[in-house]
């Protein structure tokens, strides 16, 4: 089976083709970052319009890259949510129409399941069960994963997602959009220990997160601090350390509670090097193995959607003749797939 995957939930257009036996045949990602940069965040209408411009030419491009014709594709999968409704509708309409024209099945995919399964594209890939930390612009989730579709949400964000906290704090520090990578770069040049921010919700039991208070802490600190480069870098460093510590403490807690021996980290913020380092050293102490997607598949991409789609299509799932877009969609609503685990 060979599957075309399409991702248009936010500000990246991602297209990929995956083969059941040969793995990833071709993929492409286009980031709209420069379009949204002047507004300091994603403008939904501009995102939708750009997905319209990019998606079809990118499908043509990856088909050519893979040397494939429509008859070589056996199914089309697309991100149906969660995400921006207009952006989702673009990918959903194109995917569903193409599948109808090519007379093949279409399947709607949950964006966070895409992130959760992205490390399956690497070698070695994780086996079940595992704990997944999903850290993106829209979500901070700790998930107990028994199998594909058997997801137990152990911890969730009560306010800002961790990527959102990075982006908003970067804005306070006068950095461009997207803020996460820019803040991480500034933090790497900052002195540790000059400022100390709290590790939210680590002083009580539970696995939920709250990051909006940290941003306020940065705001208040900035009001009283000199605006020189060294000060801003030290504040960025203190913010990053607080976030990384918090995520590490909660992952450690989830691993202790479940006794799982594998930890998967995915989503845009999993590209953060300090987070990777901290989780790796915590996991080594516990004898836990850590799995990440390659850097380019940490942020939004079509390959993770193609993989999730391939597994589900192989299990016999597909949609009716409908265009599905769900801006809000709980990970726990997905059907289970017990029999397939593809190691590509
Ligand atoms: O998964 P993703 O591409 O999109 C969503 O599904 O939201 O994640 C994007 C988020 C943004 O908030 C971005 O600032 C953050 O991931 N991000 C990072 C880094 N790279 C991307 N945050 C911290 N450090 C990074 N290196
Ligand atoms: Zn994402």
């Amino acid at each position: 089976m060979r599957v075309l995957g399409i991702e248009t939930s936010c500000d990246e257009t991602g297209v990929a083709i995956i083969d059941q036996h040969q793995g990833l045949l071709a993929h492409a990602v286009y980031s709209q970052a420069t379009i949204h940069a002047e507004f300091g965040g994603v403008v939904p209408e501009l995102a939708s319009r750009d997905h319209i411009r990019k998606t079809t030419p990118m499908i043509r491009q990856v088909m050519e890259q893979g040397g494939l014709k429509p008859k070589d594709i056996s199914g089309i999968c697309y991100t149906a949510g969660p995400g921006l409704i207009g952006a989702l509708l673009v990918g959903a309409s194109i995917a569903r129409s193409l599948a109808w024209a090519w007379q093949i099945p279409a399947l709607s995919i949950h964006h966070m399941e895409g992130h959760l399964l992205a490390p399956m594209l690497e070698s070695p890939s994780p086996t079940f069960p595992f704990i997944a930390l999903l850290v993106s612009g829209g979500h901070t989730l700790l998930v107990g994963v028994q199998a594909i579709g058997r997801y137990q949400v152990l911890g969730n964000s009560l306010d800002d997602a961790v990527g959102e906290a990075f982006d908003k704090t970067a804005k306070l520090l006068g950095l461009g959009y997207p803020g996460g990578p820019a803040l991480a770069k500034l933090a790497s040049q900052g002195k540790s220990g000059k400022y100390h921010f709290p590790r939210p919700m680590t002083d009580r039991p539970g696995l939920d997160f709250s990051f909006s208070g940290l941003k306020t802490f940065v705001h208040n600190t900035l009001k009283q601090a000199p605006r020189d480069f060294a000060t801003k870098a030290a504040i960025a460093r203190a913010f990053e350390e607080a976030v990384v510590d918090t995520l590490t403490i909660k992952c450690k807690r989830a691993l202790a509670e479940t006794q799982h021996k594998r930890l998967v980290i995915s989503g845009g913020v999993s590209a953060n090097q300090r987070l990777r380092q901290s989780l790796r050293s915590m996991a080594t102490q516990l004898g836990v193995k850590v799995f990440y997607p390659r850097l380019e598949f940490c942020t939004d991409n079509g390959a993770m959607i193609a993989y999730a789609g391939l597994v589900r299509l192989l299990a016999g799932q597909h949609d009716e003749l409908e265009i599905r877009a769900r801006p809000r969609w709980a990970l726990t609503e997905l059907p289970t797939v017990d029999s397939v685990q593809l190691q590509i």
Side-chain angles (χ1 to χ4, degrees), residues 30-324:
Y30 171 79
S31 166
Q32 302 176 351
T34 51
I35 295 174
H36 303 293
E38 66 174 294
F39 304 98
V42 179
V43 183
E45 183 58 25
L46 294 182
S48 314
R49 287 172 189 226
D50 201 59
H51 286 307
I52 293 174
R53 275 192 291 271
K54 293 293 180 325
T55 309
T56 313
M58 282 173 67
I59 293 171
R60 209 168 276 139
Q61 179 196 330
V62 295
M63 293 284 284
E64 272 169 26
Q65 246 179 53
L68 300 165
K69 298 267 181 289
K71 66 170 172 43
D72 302 319
I73 305 294
S74 7
I76 305 185
C77 297
Y78 61 93
T79 304
L84 302 169
I85 182 67
L88 290 168
L89 274 169
V90 176
S93 316
I94 293 174
R96 183 62 266 188
S97 313
L98 258 189
W100 182 76
W102 293 352
Q103 292 294 296
I104 52 176
L107 183 62
S108 46
I109 296 296
H110 192 293
H111 181 76
M112 298 313 288
E113 178 173 71
H115 278 306
L116 193 153
L117 297 177
M120 297 293 187
L121 292 161
E122 309 306 331
S123 180
S125 59
T127 50
F128 299 117
F130 57 77
I131 292 288
L133 173 69
L134 305 180
V135 275
S136 71
H139 295 84
T140 313
L141 285 170
L142 259 173
V143 188
V145 180
Q146 292 295 337
I148 290 169
R150 280 194 196 278
Y151 306 134
Q152 187 189 4
V153 176
L154 306 170
N156 209 335
S157 148
L158 301 182
D159 41 53
D160 290 354
V162 65
E164 191 180 359
F166 264 97
D167 292 339
K168 288 179 175 172
T169 303
K171 210 170 183 177
L172 291 173
L173 289 163
L175 304 171
Y177 175 85
L183 192 145
K185 188 168 171 225
L186 181 62
S188 70
Q189 299 164 76
K191 194 165 176 295
S192 180
K194 198 164 170 201
Y195 295 94
H196 184 85
F197 297 144
R199 277 56 178 155
M201 296 185 69
T202 54
D203 57 350
R204 66 198 86 165
L207 295 167
D208 285 335
F209 304 93
S210 166
F211 289 109
S212 73
L214 264 184
K215 171 194 66 194
T216 313
F217 233 89
V218 170
H219 179 72
N220 292 339
T221 308
L222 270 171
K223 271 201 294 200
Q224 292 153 16
R227 288 291 178 129
D228 56 280
F229 178 83
T231 305
K232 284 209 274 187
I235 292 174
R237 177 78 182 251
F239 169 83
E240 192 182 47
E241 285 176 352
V243 169
V244 166
D245 261 9
T246 306
L247 293 172
T248 307
I249 291 167
K250 295 286 165 122
C251 284
K252 190 173 176 184
R253 217 177 262 181
L255 288 163
E257 280 177 19
T258 59
Q259 296 289 305
H260 288 337
K261 289 289 168 208
R262 284 170 292 271
L263 176 65
V264 156
I265 330 282
S266 193
V269 183
S270 69
N272 186 281
Q273 292 305 323
R274 194 176 306 282
L275 178 63
R276 287 180 170 228
Q277 217 174 344
S278 168
L279 290 171
R280 214 177 286 128
S281 77
M282 176 273 290
T284 307
Q285 281 171 18
L286 295 182
V288 167
K289 210 164 158 22
V290 184
F291 298 85
Y292 303 95
R294 71 195 79 166
L295 275 180
E296 63 178 325
F297 293 161
C298 286
T299 45
D300 292 349
N301 64 84
M304 66 185 195
I305 302 304
Y307 178 86
L310 173 62
V311 173
R312 288 189 172 278
L313 284 169
L314 279 173
Q317 296 175 12
H318 65 84
D319 289 343
E320 299 303 318
L321 262 184
E322 58 180 342
I323 292 168
R324 298 188 79 205

